[in-house]
Amino acid sequence: SKTYQNILVSTPAKGVTLITLNRPKALNALNSQLFHELNQATEKADNDPAVGAIVITGNEKAFAAGADIKEMKDIQYAHAYKSNFLGHWTKLTTIRKPIIAAVSGFALGGGCELAMMCDIILASPNANFGQPEINLGVIPGAGGTQRLTHAVGKSRAMEMVLTGNMIGAEEAASTGLISRVVKEGSVVDEAVKVASKISSKGQVAVQAAKEGVNAAFELSLQEGTRFERRLFHTLFATKDQKEGMAAFAEKRKPTFTHE
Ligand code: CO8
């Protein structure tokens, strides 16, 4: 099996891949190598039929405190532009299986952006979300001005991006940035539970559902609902639809074969 230097990969439950960001001394600052490893691990999980969902977490103190400032502080514009610096981060958004972020502690800058690239965010009561790039003389570069605005609206996004102020878990939940706050110490267990549940569903429907929700960020309501209906229609070509609806009619649990 593959060995990584900056992440740990495990299978905490059937059908679930757990990826733990593992640079604790740097508060899980996201250097390029870490993100390459994250891309490799998520792609591997995406291509593994035994995996239904992925959980990404950090540690108690930090989910991730942002892109690695020490790695990028001396970079020149021409190099950043020509190498499409950190462009590989967006690969995460092409993963088809659901990804859950289990956030404790700091989710700042690129760390907050990483969480926002995931499909569901669960947080510990001690979680803090922020886009402090303004304090470094830059702005967010991996979705902080875009996904945050979609999630919390213009006014709150502007305040966060312009001041660098962090928000706590409760505020993140009340603004819709995250799904919910869970009991202290339980965020990974909760995320694995949710991933496990998703993994027990028909995987064709799960992927279609993710595709449908994500389309809401790109399409008009009319195009979006049309796209949704077409996806819905396609599911009648699956065995899982026949099994799911037959099981309901026969008052038994469905056995999905993901076909
Ligand atoms: N990069 C590198 N090292 C870091 C980072 C980071 N982002 N965050 C923390 N560290 C390191 C510290 O340097 C320190 O290392 P050392 O022990 O060697 O001095 C260690 O982690 C522990 O950190 P602190 O001592 O600072 O811990 P505190 O508890 O005192 O403070 C904070 C915690 C408040 C989180 C503080 O560490 C901090 O402010 N960190 C930086 C947060 C930040 O500005 N993040 C944004 C970074 S920029 C960014 O993410 C842009 C993304 C763009 C992506 C573009 C893609 C195309």
Side-chain angles (χ1 to χ4, degrees), residues 11-248:
T11 304
K14 189 168 169 282
V16 180
T17 292
L18 171 64
I19 301 174
T20 305
L21 310 179
N22 190 32
R23 295 187 72 209
K25 284 183 192 143
L27 301 184
N28 290 331
L30 305 162
N31 61 20
S32 343
Q33 196 197 2
L34 185 153
F35 230 100
H36 277 300
E37 292 180 5
L38 191 58
N39 284 339
Q40 281 170 36
T42 49
E43 186 175 18
K44 187 160 174 273
D46 215 20
N47 292 330
D48 182 347
V51 176
I54 300 161
V55 175
I56 299 178
T57 195
N59 56 52
E60 193 49 33
K61 179 153 190 209
F63 177 71
D68 192 319
I69 299 167
K70 291 164 190 170
E71 182 185 68
M72 68 185 156
K73 71 183 184 33
D74 297 322
I75 287 182
Q76 299 297 325
Y77 165 73
H79 170 75
Y81 183 78
K82 285 191 296 176
S83 67
N84 192 20
F85 180 59
L86 302 187
H88 66 292
W89 281 29
T90 55
K91 184 150 186 292
L92 197 70
T93 63
T94 68
I95 298 296
R96 289 161 288 123
K97 289 174 184 170
I99 307 178
I100 303 170
V103 177
S104 290
F106 297 112
L108 301 179
C112 186
E113 292 170 313
L114 167 58
M116 291 190 292
M117 279 190 256
C118 297
D119 301 304
I120 298 172
I121 307 176
L122 300 183
S124 298
N126 79 339
N128 277 301
F129 298 85
Q131 298 290 161
E133 287 90 342
I134 200 79
N135 299 324
L136 300 168
V138 294
I139 68 166
T145 67
Q146 304 299 303
R147 289 192 184 89
L148 186 66
T149 308
H150 278 288
V152 306
K154 173 177 163 175
S155 186
R156 183 95 48 153
M158 280 288 190
E159 186 172 353
M160 289 175 71
V161 170
L162 294 173
T163 66
N165 288 348
M166 298 189 280
I167 61 171
E170 287 300 340
E171 196 176 344
S174 71
T175 55
L177 175 59
I178 68 173
S179 176
R180 59 196 161 90
V181 188
V182 303
K183 240 184 41 238
E184 196 185 331
S186 72
V187 74
V188 175
D189 287 352
E190 266 306 313
V192 169
K193 229 187 269 175
V194 174
S196 211
K197 187 167 197 173
I198 292 170
S199 194
S200 74
K201 316 292 183 193
Q203 294 305 303
V204 181
V206 165
Q207 284 189 24
K210 173 168 170 167
E211 213 183 334
V213 173
N214 278 333
F217 293 92
E218 310 289 347
L219 303 177
S220 69
L221 183 60
Q222 196 179 6
E223 289 167 333
T225 49
R226 182 180 154 83
F227 178 66
E228 175 191 75
R229 195 164 58 248
R230 291 302 179 224
L231 272 178
F232 177 74
H233 292 160
T234 64
L235 292 171
F236 286 85
T238 65
K239 289 182 183 157
D240 285 347
Q241 175 270 326
K242 296 290 173 287
E243 167 63 9
M245 292 193 184
F248 178 83

